[in-house]
Amino acid sequence: VGIQTNNFDSEFLIYPNPATNKLFITSNNGLKIETVNIYNQFGQIVLKRNEIRENIDISTLVQGIYIIEVTSDKLKVREKLKIEK
């Protein structure tokens, strides 16, 4: 059994988007978030977090468009993330 990848109907709520300093991620169906990766426009990981508790500090990231990847034990979701300063 592989990990399902879904780019359209997210099982996770990622807010606010656009974001400035903090990012919140919640599961719509109780899935435990294992990892969060944020990629820049070149596909490089610029932020990686394991086991998200309350929020993610993104204050070190510069303004721009990123891809955020949220992984649980059953699902992997990628969405566009805009950071504004």
Side-chain angles (χ1 to χ4, degrees):
V1 177
I3 294 178
Q4 177 184 354
T5 300
N6 183 347
N7 292 321
F8 302 105
D9 297 323
S10 179
E11 296 296 322
F12 299 102
L13 179 60
I14 301 168
Y15 61 95
N17 193 1
T20 54
N21 294 318
K22 292 196 183 295
L23 190 64
F24 299 87
I25 303 172
T26 58
S27 172
N28 293 334
N29 56 10
L31 290 174
K32 181 182 175 195
I33 298 169
E34 292 185 349
T35 60
V36 174
N37 294 323
I38 297 179
Y39 298 88
N40 65 14
Q41 61 194 11
F42 303 108
Q44 300 164 319
I45 294 178
V46 293
L47 190 80
K48 181 174 184 152
R49 295 290 182 267
N50 296 321
E51 301 213 15
I52 306 310
R53 303 260 186 265
E54 293 179 12
N55 62 64
I56 299 172
D57 180 5
I58 57 168
S59 62
T60 59
L61 299 179
V62 298
Q63 180 170 310
I65 302 293
Y66 297 83
I67 297 296
I68 184 166
E69 178 183 77
V70 181
T71 306
S72 75
D73 61 339
K74 297 180 182 174
L75 187 68
K76 183 185 289 186
V77 174
R78 292 185 189 103
E79 292 187 10
K80 192 184 309 183
L81 172 65
K82 185 176 183 180
I83 296 180
E84 295 180 344
K85 298 292 180 176

